[in-house]
Amino acid sequence: MPEDRRYARVAVDVSLAHLDRPFDYLVPPSMLDEATVGCRVRVRFAGRMRDGFILELTDRTDADRVQPLEKVVSAEPVLLPEIVDLVRAVADHYAGSFSDVVRLAVPSRHATTEKAAPRQRKDCDLAAARSAAHPFGHYRGGPEFLDAVADGASPRAAWQVVPTADPAGDWTRGFAAAAAAALVSGRGALAVVPDRRDLDRLSAVCAEVLGTDAFVVLTADLGPSARYRAFLAAARGHVKVVIGTRAAALAPVQDLGLVAIWDDGDDLHAEPRAPYPHVREVLALRAAQQRAATLFASYGRTCEVTDLVERGWLRDLVAERPALRRLAPRTRIAADTDFALERDPAARAARVPREVFEVIRTGLAAGPVLVQVPRAGYLASLVCATCREPVRCQHCQGPVRVQGPPEQKPPVSCGWCGRLQVQWACRECGDTHWRAPVVGAARTADELGKAFPGVPIRRSAGEKVLADVPDEPALVVCTPGAEPVAEHGYAAAVLLDAHLLLQRMDLRAPEEALRRWLNAAALVRSGADGGTAIAVGPADSAPLQAFVRVDPAGAAERELVDRAEAGFPPVAKLITVDGPPGAVDDLAAQLTVEAERLGPVDIDSPPHSEESWVRLTLRAPRGDGPTLVKGVRDAAGVRSAKKSAGAVRIRVDPQVIA
């Protein structure tokens, strides 16, 4: 072939595992000026038109037959070289394909936005941003971390934020200060948070510290135009700071100097689409590739972060114990002492012991009081009053629900099909009466309203989640994760039915329960200002004891030891393969690497599947993890090449381990 020909190496939008590689295409002379590295193209692949991205332009090809590009959709380079490397690393880490990950990295094109003139932005006042107040002075090694980032170094830290409404617990100002330090060094910053409420808080502080023109917000729910505008501002280098939710983890920040994640234990950081990457792992891979500073911050502590600390990859940023005791609210467990039981003998069995009422009454004299209830609704579940058999729909066997107080005889309806349950009778004993073993947030609000007449009751749960509440006496009843922010912090927090969070059928239940309790305590005033947090639950529970001591790191260290003994992540590599029995057996037969095989066992089928599904679990020591992941990926490629029947779902180190 003539040497003056130009070829494009294209990543074609095909998710088949055996075709997960770039393909060479000829660049026609008419497209030479438009075809740039990172731009979108259209190509013919296997007889069909496909989307793709140019990864490389070269004068050579090893292919015998090369088809020409059909179209350059846009000359805009939207897939930067460093993002290509990151996408490949994420795909390999999670046994996925390049095309699946690149869909998460690059939003759909919005032509009008792409052609519009870029917005004029003011430069950030770096001196003012660098001198803004921040909480790092309360933490051992905190000021040194910021100085190192500002000097162009790349320190990596696990920031154990004190759970308090005091400024020392304001992680948003800490993130803004870290981003300012990165800007001072001439580099960019990326911060990822779990949800929109956290993003709104961080955005407001960044606007105050950095200025509104110094950063963009990137999230999946922005809408096509706004999301693409923010994406282009980062890709073109017009802004160097990007904040957002899960969708921002792969944002094209140029000269990246800092990656930060808030509350990595929140399950919203786990992508629900294949190959199911977790933001924590994506940012860790990105920090290693691009040599960026790293800041993993939370009130709680996951085993994954603890493992990185113990291996020396992260350095702890923690408050000294005297400062922690002063800054955190006073925490305790209801009926935890012999004295409390002597005053209230029924406290251990009561849902709301006398001690809790005293905390609420004292707190209301000083401001709002937060009440956390693990479940939403009125009566969260129903059982037969005689034999305790769960109440099921007479038509579809689905769970039933009650939408109101029992004294008003509300209708009982199915949570699946919606049918009213008329003349219900227990299938086991024939009784026609039911009771509620678990009381939801709505019922709790009604009960507290009767116990504290005249006190405003505010609810935050389900579809109605409050962002904030005024700084005045009120009872704020909410479910975990739906806690509104009080302007000057809550005077007290009550965590009801703590045992329910511990009873979840999930390996992460203790870690998740402690995380939710600490997140609630973080909204309470400091102990020095009279803030109190009380939990109603078993006093001998290890997570509750860690809550009382405000010691999430110690709890995570003990949990990590237990996981090491049991052979669970992050100490071991765990891969689940879900699908129809024939498909799972076929993939297992193609697997050529050694691994412990658990199952297959029956699991619930997806709503769209008419076949039964099973789960095969593969486990290997951490050192053999990359080999196992590659082996599973290769086995999926063999099935793909053979066009084997039945799709399988592969998850590497799944977030939920039940």
Side-chain angles (χ1 to χ4, degrees):
M1 292 184 181
E3 292 185 359
D4 58 352
R5 284 199 165 188
R6 195 75 165 162
Y7 301 95
R9 219 147 262 155
V10 178
V12 184
D13 187 11
V14 178
S15 296
L16 298 175
H18 71 290
L19 299 176
D20 187 24
R21 60 182 179 85
F23 294 86
D24 289 351
Y25 285 85
L26 176 67
V27 181
S30 61
M31 300 182 189
L32 285 174
D33 293 336
E34 296 178 285
T36 58
V37 174
C39 75
R40 305 174 197 259
V41 294
R42 294 277 285 174
V43 298
R44 187 170 296 279
F45 187 87
R48 296 179 57 186
M49 294 295 292
R50 300 276 189 177
D51 294 324
F53 296 93
I54 294 180
L55 303 184
E56 183 183 356
L57 292 171
T58 179
D59 295 329
R60 300 182 181 181
T61 179
D62 295 329
D64 296 331
R65 296 177 56 191
V66 181
Q67 298 187 65
L69 297 176
E70 294 290 334
K71 181 182 180 181
V72 175
V73 178
S74 168
E76 183 78 36
V78 292
L79 188 59
L80 305 184
E82 59 267 27
I83 303 301
V84 171
D85 295 339
L86 177 63
V87 168
R88 182 71 269 167
V90 172
D92 292 343
H93 185 83
Y94 285 98
S97 67
F98 186 93
S99 61
D100 282 340
V101 180
V102 85
R103 291 190 197 110
L104 306 175
V106 182
S108 300
R109 179 175 182 251
H110 195 272
T112 303
T113 301
E114 187 175 282
K115 296 175 183 177
R119 168 187 161 190
Q120 296 296 321
R121 295 178 178 271
K122 297 179 181 178
D123 291 336
C124 173
D125 186 345
L126 294 180
R130 188 74 174 90
S131 62
H134 60 76
F136 281 109
H138 295 278
Y139 299 86
R140 185 176 64 244
E144 292 80 3
F145 174 83
L146 289 184
D147 291 341
V149 174
D151 290 340
S154 300
R156 297 188 294 263
W159 183 20
Q160 192 65 63
V161 186
V162 177
T164 178
D166 186 270
D170 191 351
W171 61 271
T172 59
R173 292 199 173 273
F175 273 34
L183 290 176
V184 167
S185 72
R187 300 176 295 171
L190 170 63
V192 184
V193 299
D195 57 32
R196 188 73 207 194
R197 294 198 307 156
D198 290 327
L199 186 58
D200 289 342
R201 293 177 60 194
L202 180 58
S203 178
V205 173
C206 285
E208 176 188 339
V209 175
L210 305 176
T212 55
D213 289 340
F215 70 98
V216 292
V217 174
L218 189 57
T219 178
D221 60 2
L222 279 178
S225 176
R227 183 182 180 186
Y228 198 55
R229 186 181 302 111
F231 175 86
L232 288 179
R236 292 169 175 172
H238 296 162
V239 294
K240 286 193 171 184
V241 177
V242 175
I243 64 174
T245 53
R246 187 176 61 232
L250 297 159
V253 181
Q254 296 192 6
D255 300 320
L256 185 65
L258 171 75
V259 296
I261 179 174
W262 169 249
D263 199 8
D264 69 292
D266 195 310
D267 56 11
L268 291 176
H269 283 304
E271 175 62 51
R273 294 171 292 179
Y276 317 106
H278 194 286
V279 172
R280 177 185 56 242
E281 310 304 324
V282 173
L283 294 186
L285 289 170
R286 191 165 188 178
Q289 282 189 347
Q290 298 180 241
R291 297 182 180 179
T294 307
L295 184 62
F296 288 179
S298 62
Y299 296 124
R301 176 64 69 89
T302 61
C303 284
E304 285 76 9
V305 169
T306 300
D307 182 56
L308 292 174
V309 171
E310 292 191 353
R311 292 161 61 190
W313 199 82
L314 290 173
R315 175 188 172 188
D316 256 327
L317 296 185
V318 297
E320 301 289 355
R321 290 305 298 183
L324 177 63
R325 287 193 292 269
R326 175 175 53 85
L327 295 170
R330 294 189 295 269
T331 54
R332 63 182 190 270
I333 304 173
D336 190 32
T337 65
D338 294 337
F339 175 72
L341 288 175
E342 183 178 345
R343 293 186 61 201
D344 186 6
R348 196 178 293 279
R351 182 167 183 259
V352 185
R354 178 186 302 175
E355 185 180 1
V356 172
F357 278 102
E358 293 175 355
V359 169
I360 294 176
R361 190 176 296 109
T362 303
L364 288 173
V369 173
L370 180 71
V371 180
Q372 185 192 80
V373 183
R375 297 189 184 182
Y378 205 89
L379 302 180
S381 64
L382 300 178
V383 297
C384 172
T386 301
C387 69
R388 303 298 189 266
E389 181 72 13
V391 177
R392 293 288 182 181
C393 174
Q394 301 171 86
H395 175 75
C396 69
Q397 302 305 310
V400 300
R401 57 187 179 183
V402 179
Q403 301 296 327
E407 57 268 19
Q408 296 180 6
K409 298 183 178 179
V412 181
S413 61
C414 176
W416 288 356
C417 67
R419 286 180 169 84
L420 294 178
Q421 304 302 299
V422 182
Q423 297 180 343
W424 174 85
C426 178
R427 294 184 302 170
E428 296 296 325
C429 67
D431 193 356
T432 59
H433 298 86
W434 45 261
R435 67 185 295 270
V438 178
V439 178
R443 175 65 180 270
T444 301
D446 285 355
E447 291 178 346
L448 291 176
K450 295 174 183 177
F452 296 93
V455 176
I457 305 292
R458 295 184 172 88
R459 301 177 187 173
S460 181
E463 297 180 357
K464 186 180 179 181
V465 177
L466 304 177
D468 50 55
V469 294
D471 188 28
E472 58 186 33
L475 283 169
V476 182
V477 182
C478 62
T479 52
E483 300 91 349
V485 177
E487 183 178 358
H488 298 295
Y490 289 95
V494 176
L495 312 176
L496 292 179
D497 302 328
H499 65 282
L500 292 180
L501 288 179
L502 297 172
Q503 291 174 355
R504 292 175 55 218
M505 296 300 294
D506 184 0
L507 178 70
R508 303 182 190 273
E511 175 184 284
E512 174 68 6
L514 181 57
R515 185 186 73 84
R516 290 182 179 272
W517 297 332
L518 290 173
N519 284 355
L523 301 174
V524 182
R525 300 166 188 171
S526 69
D529 294 331
T532 301
I534 185 169
V536 181
D540 57 351
S541 165
L544 277 173
Q545 288 295 328
F547 170 72
V548 171
R549 296 191 304 271
V550 194
D551 185 25
E557 290 169 2
R558 291 186 291 273
E559 179 70 15
L560 187 62
V561 171
D562 292 341
R563 289 199 194 179
E565 294 176 353
F568 283 111
V571 183
K573 181 63 66 176
L574 199 70
I575 301 178
T576 60
V577 182
D578 302 345
V584 172
D585 290 343
D586 183 32
L587 185 139
Q590 304 295 340
L591 198 60
T592 59
V593 297
E594 292 294 327
E596 181 182 3
R597 303 189 182 193
L598 308 173
V601 296
D602 294 333
I603 61 172
D604 294 334
S605 303
H608 58 78
S609 176
E610 297 181 357
E611 299 180 89
S612 62
W613 273 40
V614 297
R615 170 171 295 166
L616 173 66
T617 301
L618 304 171
R619 181 165 61 183
R622 176 161 48 197
D624 298 334
T627 302
L628 176 59
V629 173
K630 184 179 184 303
V632 171
R633 188 169 174 273
D634 291 345
V638 172
R639 294 193 72 249
S640 174
K642 291 182 176 180
K643 299 182 179 180
S644 302
V648 295
R649 182 172 60 199
I650 299 171
R651 292 181 186 265
V652 177
D653 292 338
Q655 179 71 9
V656 177
I657 307 175

